[in-house]
Amino acid sequence: MTRKRIALVAHDARKADLIAWIGAHLRFLAGHAYWATGTTGTLVRNAHPDLDITPLKSGPLGGDQQIGAMIAEGRIDMLVFFVDPMTAQPHDVDVKALTRLATLYNIPMACNEATADMLVASPLFSNGYTPRPADFHTYESRAV
C-alpha cells in the first residue's frame, strides 16, 4: 500500500460527521498521513489518536490556505472536505480557493460522505493510484 497524504477539513456543523466517517473507515485510513485545519485536526486526533495527523491553523485563520499551498506544492494526494452547504461561511473565498486548487491540480476531493465512501472503497485507493499530473505548460509559456 502506498502511504497517502490526506488533507481533512470540515465546517463546524460537519466535524462530528467527519469524525464518525473516519471511525467507520479506519481499516482503509490507517497508515496514511493526515493534515487538517486546526479545530478539525484537534478533534480528529482526540477521537482517533492512532492516526498520524498534523493540525494546521484554523480554516478562517489560514488553515485552508496552508492546505491549498500544500496541494500546489504536490504535498497532498487527496482532500476530504465535509462542507456545510446550509451555513454561510465568513471565509467562503478561502473555501472556494481550496476547492479550486484541488480541482486545478487534479487531486481526488470528497465534499460529502457519499463521495468520501467511494474514494476509500475504490480499489484505486489502496493500489498506488497516481492521478495524471496537471499540465500548465501552455499557460506558463503564453505570451504576456
Side-chain angles (χ1 to χ4, degrees), residues 77-93:
D77 301 312
M78 184 170 112
L79 172 62
V80 177
F81 186 172
F82 278 22
V83 175
D84 174 12
M86 300 302 286
T87 305
Q89 301 299 323
H91 63 295
D92 189 55
V93 293

Side-chain angles (χ1 to χ4, degrees), residues 134-144:
D135 180 6
F136 304 118
H137 178 73
T138 303
Y139 182 81
E140 293 170 336
S141 63
R142 73 192 188 286
V144 245

Side-chain angles (χ1 to χ4, degrees), residues 30-103:
H32 298 289
Y34 298 89
W35 286 263
T37 49
T39 308
T40 300
T42 300
L43 292 170
V44 170
R45 188 182 333 163
N46 290 343
H48 304 291
D50 291 338
L51 291 181
D52 176 11
I53 184 153
T54 302
L56 303 169
K57 291 186 178 287
S58 175
L61 299 179
D64 296 328
Q65 281 106 350
Q66 286 180 290
I67 290 175
M70 292 175 75
I71 290 169
E73 294 165 351
R75 296 172 43 211
I76 294 292
D77 301 312
M78 184 170 112
L79 172 62
V80 177
F81 186 172
F82 278 22
V83 175
D84 174 12
M86 300 302 286
T87 305
Q89 301 299 323
H91 63 295
D92 189 55
V93 293
D94 304 326
V95 171
K96 287 179 181 174
L98 177 58
T99 58
R100 178 186 170 278
L101 286 169
T103 303

